[in-house]
Amino acid sequence: RRCVPPPADLLWRLGAQVLYCPFGSVEFAVPGVRTISTVVDVLHRDFPWSLAPGDNAARERAFQDILATADALQCNSGHVMARLREHYDVAPERLFKVYNAVHERFSLLPPESAATAELPAAPYFFYPANAWRHKNHETLLLAYGMYRARAAADGVLPWRLVLTGHEDGRWAELRTLARTLGLPGDGAVEFVGYVPAEAFGRWWQAAGALVFPSLHEGFGIPLLEAMHHDVPILCSLAGSLPEVGSDTCLFVDARSPGALADGMYRLATEPALRQRLVAAGRQRLADFSQDREAGGLLEVIVALAGAELSYRPLARGIHPDGWTERSAVLALPRPTAGEARSGRLTLRFHRMPAPRRLRLRSGAFGSLGSFDLPCGRREPRVCVDLRPDGDPLWLEVPDAANLNDADRRVHGVRLLAADLRMADGRDYPLFAAR
C-alpha cells in the first residue's frame, strides 16, 4: 500500500517464497519467487461470442502472461483443468484443483439491520446471475413463457421467476424481451437487481427451485448454495456443472427452450422429484468442505515453497518498449547436471537520449559491476561473465528520471535485448523489446 507502483524486487525485499494470485493477475510476480495463479474459466476461448472483441483480446493477453509466469495454476474444477490442457497444452503437473466450497457464507453473515424488500410469494424459480450473455437469460425467458402457457392449459398455478444480478444495460434488454414475449407485468418475472450478501440467505430459503441455464461455468457456486438451502436444481449440462451437480440436479439441454420449459414444469408439479433431488443434494454437499479445500491449497503452497524452480523467461520493471524503471529484475536459469556452469551475459541497449549509470548484481554473487552508458552512441552494450544459479539478475539505475513530458514514466535505461550464452553453447534469450 505504501509503494504504488511497487519496486520490481519487492518480493525479494520481503523474503517471499511463494506469491499467491487469487484473482489470476501475475503483475507482482518476480523471477526467483514461486507463483500460483488462479484460473476460474476459459470463457474467452470456449465462448468468444459472449465477450466484446476487446475483452477477448485482453483476456488472451492476461492468459499468456499467466501461462508464461506461474509455476502452478489453481483451477476450480477438473473441467477447467481439462480446458487449459486442450487450449494451451498446459502440463498436467502445473495444474491442481480447489473447489469453491463457499456455500455456507450467507449463514455466517450477521442478519440484516435494515429493512429489505418483500420477497415474492413462494415458491418461485430462482436464478442468481449477472446478465452476461453466457448466462443464457434470453433462452430462460423463452422457456418460462412456454412453461406458463403449459401450466395455464393444465389449470396449474405457475411459479414466478426471480432474477437477481448487477443492474446494467443488459437488464434493460431483458426487461424489454420479457414484455415482448407477453410475460405479464404482475410480477411473474421479478428483476430484483443486486441483493446484499446479508439478505441473500432469505431469498434462498423462500425459493422453490434453482434454475441454472448457464452455457459456460468454471464451477457453479449457486449449485452448492441450493443444496445447502434444500432447494432442488434444474441445471444446464454445460461446462463444469455435471461435475459439481453429479446426481443432485435435473439436467437439461439449456440451449433448448422446450427442454428448459419441460424441466420447470416437472419441478413445479412433481413433489417427489423435488424431494429426491433435495435428498441427493444433502449427500452431495458432504463432498465439498471449505476446510478440506483450504488444506489442499496449503499443501500445494508448502510443496511449491520447497521445490526447485523451472526456468521461465521473466522480466519485471521493464516496459515492453525496453525502458526500465529505477530497478528491474530478469530471470536467470539454474544449470542442471551435465550443463555448463558458467556463461556470458550480453545486454544491448537502444541509443540513449541521456547518459546513465547501470549497476548489475546477482543474488549469490553480489555486484557484477557498474557501467556508464553514454548519450547518443549507437546500440551500446554491456557484457559480463557469470555463473547463474537460479537467482535473478538485478538492473539498478540510480540516476533514472523522467526524460519526456509526454511520457510520464521514470526512464532508466532502454534495453533492446538481454541474452545469456552458456559455455556449452546453450542460449537463453532473457528479454527482447517489442
Side-chain angles (χ1 to χ4, degrees):
R1 293 181 182 178
R2 296 187 342 192
C3 350
V4 181
D9 60 350
L10 174 63
L11 295 186
W12 275 92
R13 297 185 191 183
L14 295 174
Q17 293 173 286
V18 177
L19 171 67
Y20 180 53
C21 307
F23 298 105
S25 172
V26 291
E27 63 178 311
F28 297 115
V30 297
V33 177
R34 298 149 185 87
T35 300
I36 299 173
S37 176
T38 300
V39 176
V40 298
D41 63 50
V42 195
L43 179 66
H44 67 292
R45 284 289 188 100
D46 284 332
F47 276 83
W49 56 267
S50 68
L51 298 168
D55 292 340
N56 277 320
R59 286 196 180 207
E60 183 62 27
R61 288 193 297 271
F63 263 70
Q64 293 296 339
D65 196 22
I66 289 169
L67 296 171
T69 302
D71 300 281
L73 300 171
Q74 175 188 327
C75 304
N76 53 348
S77 66
H79 170 76
V80 172
M81 295 170 66
R83 301 315 293 155
L84 284 172
R85 293 195 298 269
E86 172 70 22
H87 287 301
Y88 296 102
D89 196 26
V90 179
E93 58 268 22
R94 292 178 65 191
L95 303 171
F96 69 101
K97 178 177 63 181
V98 176
Y99 282 138
N100 298 134
V102 296
H103 47 282
E104 296 182 347
R105 67 189 191 278
F106 298 133
S107 304
L108 300 175
L109 292 171
E112 286 181 290
S113 57
T116 59
E118 184 178 350
L119 296 177
Y124 51 78
F125 295 109
F126 190 41
Y127 188 26
N130 289 325
W132 299 317
R133 295 195 182 277
H134 68 278
K135 295 296 186 178
N136 203 24
H137 285 82
E138 286 85 353
T139 305
L140 175 59
L141 289 173
L142 288 168
Y144 182 65
M146 297 169 67
Y147 154 74
R148 286 185 64 90
R150 180 175 174 182
D154 293 346
V156 176
L157 184 66
W159 291 8
R160 296 184 178 188
L161 174 62
V162 174
L163 307 174
T164 68
H166 175 66
E167 289 278 359
D168 57 16
R170 285 272 296 150
W171 279 110
E173 295 175 12
L174 295 174
R175 286 190 176 95
T176 299
L177 175 60
R179 291 193 297 269
T180 302
L181 294 174
L183 294 174
D186 57 358
V189 181
E190 298 240 2
F191 293 90
V192 176
Y194 172 76
V195 174
E198 294 81 2
F200 227 99
R202 296 176 60 241
W203 293 82
W204 273 117
Q205 291 163 9
L210 168 67
V211 55
F212 204 75
S214 176
L215 299 177
H216 184 278
E217 289 295 322
F219 183 75
I221 292 173
L223 270 61
L224 298 194
E225 293 172 348
M227 297 176 202
H228 178 67
H229 289 93
D230 288 339
V231 175
I233 303 167
L234 172 64
C235 190
S236 166
L237 284 162
S240 63
L241 298 177
E243 174 185 350
V244 176
S246 186
D247 61 349
T248 70
C249 305
L250 178 59
F251 286 107
V252 297
D253 181 358
R255 299 169 299 178
S256 165
L260 269 174
D262 288 344
M264 297 169 85
Y265 188 86
R266 287 193 61 193
L267 276 184
T269 59
E270 298 181 26
L273 172 61
R274 297 197 298 271
Q275 293 170 5
R276 177 175 65 80
L277 295 178
V278 167
R282 290 173 186 162
Q283 290 186 338
R284 175 63 172 155
L285 206 56
D287 296 331
F288 298 94
S289 160
Q290 185 166 314
D291 287 345
R292 185 165 58 245
E293 299 304 321
L297 172 59
L298 179 59
E299 289 179 6
V300 174
I301 291 173
V302 171
L304 194 61
E308 187 169 303
L309 285 173
S310 301
Y311 171 72
R312 292 189 183 87
L314 180 61
R316 285 296 182 260
I318 308 179
H319 299 283
D321 62 359
W323 276 111
T324 73
E325 299 165 4
R326 284 189 173 86
S327 63
V329 191
L330 287 170
L332 291 176
R334 183 191 304 275
T336 58
E339 293 182 351
R341 312 298 294 182
S342 63
R344 187 164 181 79
L345 172 71
T346 301
L347 304 176
R348 294 186 292 122
F349 302 89
H350 290 271
R351 188 191 306 269
M352 295 298 300
R356 285 288 186 260
R357 167 67 58 89
L358 173 67
R359 296 172 182 164
L360 299 179
R361 61 186 173 93
S362 180
F365 298 98
S367 175
L368 298 173
S370 181
F371 308 88
D372 290 317
L373 299 182
C375 171
R377 180 180 298 175
R378 178 178 174 82
E379 288 193 10
R381 65 179 58 199
V382 168
C383 298
V384 294
D385 294 324
L386 65 120
R387 293 172 59 86
D389 64 349
D391 281 350
L393 174 74
W394 277 273
L395 292 76
E396 297 174 339
V397 188
D399 51 354
N402 179 260
L403 297 174
N404 185 344
D405 289 341
D407 179 354
R408 303 306 301 169
R409 295 178 296 180
V410 171
H411 298 99
V413 293
R414 192 175 181 195
L415 188 61
L416 181 61
D419 299 284
L420 174 66
R421 166 158 286 198
M422 302 301 289
D424 58 8
R426 183 184 298 266
D427 287 316
Y428 290 93
L430 307 179
F431 175 81
R434 298 175 191 170

